């Protein structure tokens, strides 16, 4: 949704009537499929799994009356209660899941907090273990320190720095519209040209990152490092756009710094690979 709003903002020079129709059409194409997929999955879940379980205690008696025993028979203790229909059962299931998760205060030995993820200060998560006399086997969810830190400093914080540099160029242009023409080979001019081509793409990934990361600041229940993975994917894509901006800027500004930057990327790739190979036996 944010992606489409930014796209429309970029093309704000069109007629308002066309923009309004575009907003309606894009909203329908985004919201309707999302609602259909969301509710369809829950309907399939309810239809395929109509049996009792550990979470039944959170539900009302009317909801529990529709649940079956493993044998396929109805529960005798709810024989006199009218079971909920599919629509009401779906509504109760979704609302109860949200309420229970928001109010859950149980802790976990491998839990972490949202502010620990970005600089990989979080605990690894034990997925599986097999213990035998004299040896043991474990599988952990461990973040790659090299890639996580690179995405944080080069991608997330790097976008802020580059945006501020671009804003400073815009500020100069406000007082001197001929600044770029007077300094065609300056760093500011080269950076401005690269930002004109790629800044909006970087903004989309940055907003996507924040949209997948910041909501966890409002979640009080226990969370784990793997909840950061969707945001991390956007951070990696943002790194690619930032790299493209810097490469295009330095290629035109100074070939020495351009080659230094490429060498830096080689070091980053080697570091990520080395970190992966070191952690691979445990992940």
């Amino acid at each position: 949704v944010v992606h489409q709003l930014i796209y429309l903002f970029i093309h704000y020079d069109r007629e308002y009537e066309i923009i309004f129709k575009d907003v309606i059409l894009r909203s329908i194409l985004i919201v309707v499929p999302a609602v259909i997929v969301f509710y369809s999955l829950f309907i399939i879940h309810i239809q395929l799994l109509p049996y009792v379980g550990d979470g039944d205690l959170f539900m009302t008696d009317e909801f529990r009356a529709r649940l079956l025993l493993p044998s396929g028979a109805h529960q005798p203790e709810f024989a006199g209660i009218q079971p909920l229909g599919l629509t009401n059962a779906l509504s109760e299931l979704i609302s109860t899941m949200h309420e229970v998760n928001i109010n859950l205060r149980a802790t976990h030995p491998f839990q972490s907090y949202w502010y620990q993820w970005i600089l990989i200060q979080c605990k690894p998560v034990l997925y599986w273990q097999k213990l035998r006399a004299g040896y043991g086997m474990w599988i952990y969810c461990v973040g790659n320190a090299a890639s996580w830190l690179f995405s944080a400093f080069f991608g997330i914080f790097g976008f802020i720095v580059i945006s501020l540099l671009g804003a400073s160029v815009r500020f100069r242009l406000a007082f001197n519209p001929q600044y770029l023409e007077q300094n065609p080979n300056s760093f500011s001019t080269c950076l401005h040209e690269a930002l004109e081509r790629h800044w909006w793409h970087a903004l989309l990934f940055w907003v996507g990152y924040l949209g997948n990361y910041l909501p966890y600041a409002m979640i009080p229940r226990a969370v784990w490092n793997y909840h950061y993975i969707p945001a991390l994917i956007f951070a990696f894509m943002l790194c690619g756009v930032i790299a493209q901006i810097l490469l295009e800027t330095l290629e035109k500004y100074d070939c020495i710094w351009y080659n230094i930057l490429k060498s830096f990327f080689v070091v980053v790739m080697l570091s990520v690979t080395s970190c992966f190979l070191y952690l691979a036996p445990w992940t």
Side-chain angles (χ1 to χ4, degrees):
V1 175
V2 174
H3 174 280
Q4 297 301 316
L5 291 176
I6 293 177
Y7 175 85
L8 293 172
F9 180 77
I10 297 173
H11 298 85
Y12 67 92
D13 55 334
R14 296 178 300 176
E15 296 181 5
Y16 289 111
E17 181 179 355
I18 297 177
I19 293 178
F20 179 75
K21 292 180 179 179
D22 206 355
V23 169
I24 298 299
L25 179 59
R26 289 173 182 272
S27 298
I28 293 174
L29 292 177
I30 291 173
V31 175
V32 172
V35 171
I36 291 176
V37 170
F38 178 81
Y39 283 100
S40 296
L41 293 176
F42 273 101
I43 292 173
I44 294 173
H45 172 77
I46 289 179
Q47 294 299 108
L48 293 181
L49 299 172
Y51 303 104
V52 297
D54 296 334
D56 299 349
L57 297 177
F58 296 106
M59 315 304 294
T60 62
D61 290 346
E62 289 75 15
F63 184 93
R64 299 175 68 183
R66 64 178 284 118
L67 301 178
L68 305 177
L69 296 171
S71 62
H74 289 279
Q75 302 177 78
E77 60 266 36
F78 301 109
I81 299 177
Q82 179 67 30
L84 293 178
L86 179 61
T87 303
N88 292 331
L90 188 64
S91 175
E92 180 176 329
L93 177 62
I94 295 173
S95 61
T96 303
M97 287 176 59
H98 177 266
E99 182 180 355
V100 171
N101 275 275
I102 287 297
N103 294 314
L104 190 62
R105 294 296 182 270
T107 59
H108 192 277
F110 298 109
Q111 74 178 68
S112 55
Y113 298 95
W114 65 276
Y115 53 82
Q116 297 175 318
W117 297 338
I118 188 170
L119 298 180
I120 198 167
Q121 298 171 299
C122 51
K123 298 178 181 178
V125 178
L126 178 61
Y127 277 167
W128 175 86
Q129 66 176 354
K130 184 176 182 181
L131 303 178
R132 292 293 183 269
Y135 74 96
M137 294 182 289
W138 300 268
I139 295 179
Y140 284 91
C141 176
V142 183
N144 187 312
S147 61
W148 281 37
L149 293 176
F150 177 73
S151 68
F153 288 104
F154 188 82
I156 307 307
F157 300 136
F159 173 79
I160 298 175
V161 173
I162 281 185
S163 298
L164 291 175
L165 291 175
S168 68
V169 176
R170 291 277 187 176
F171 184 77
R172 291 182 181 180
L173 290 174
F175 293 94
N176 183 10
Q178 307 300 321
Y179 174 77
L180 299 180
E181 297 178 3
Q182 296 170 354
N183 303 274
N185 297 318
S186 66
F187 177 81
S188 298
T189 301
C190 298
L191 178 62
H192 177 77
E193 294 175 356
L195 289 175
E196 285 289 303
R197 288 189 292 268
H198 303 296
W199 188 82
W200 284 107
H201 305 99
L203 177 62
L204 291 176
F205 291 135
W206 193 67
V207 171
Y209 171 84
L210 296 180
N212 284 274
Y213 178 54
L214 291 183
Y216 286 99
M218 299 180 288
I219 297 178
R221 57 155 293 172
V223 289
W224 295 268
N225 63 0
Y226 53 76
H227 287 116
Y228 185 59
I229 292 177
L232 193 62
I233 294 174
F234 279 96
F236 290 152
M237 293 188 288
L238 177 59
C239 286
V241 180
I242 299 298
Q244 185 66 29
I245 292 173
L246 292 178
L247 286 171
E248 291 185 7
T249 300
L250 296 178
E251 184 179 19
K252 186 176 180 181
Y253 173 67
D254 191 323
C255 63
I256 295 178
W257 280 106
Y258 175 70
N259 290 319
I260 291 175
L261 182 61
K262 290 196 296 184
S263 301
F264 168 72
F265 290 148
V266 172
V267 172
V268 170
M269 288 187 288
L270 292 175
S271 300
V272 171
T273 303
S274 300
C275 191
F276 170 78
L277 293 175
Y278 175 77
L279 294 172
W282 297 281
T283 59

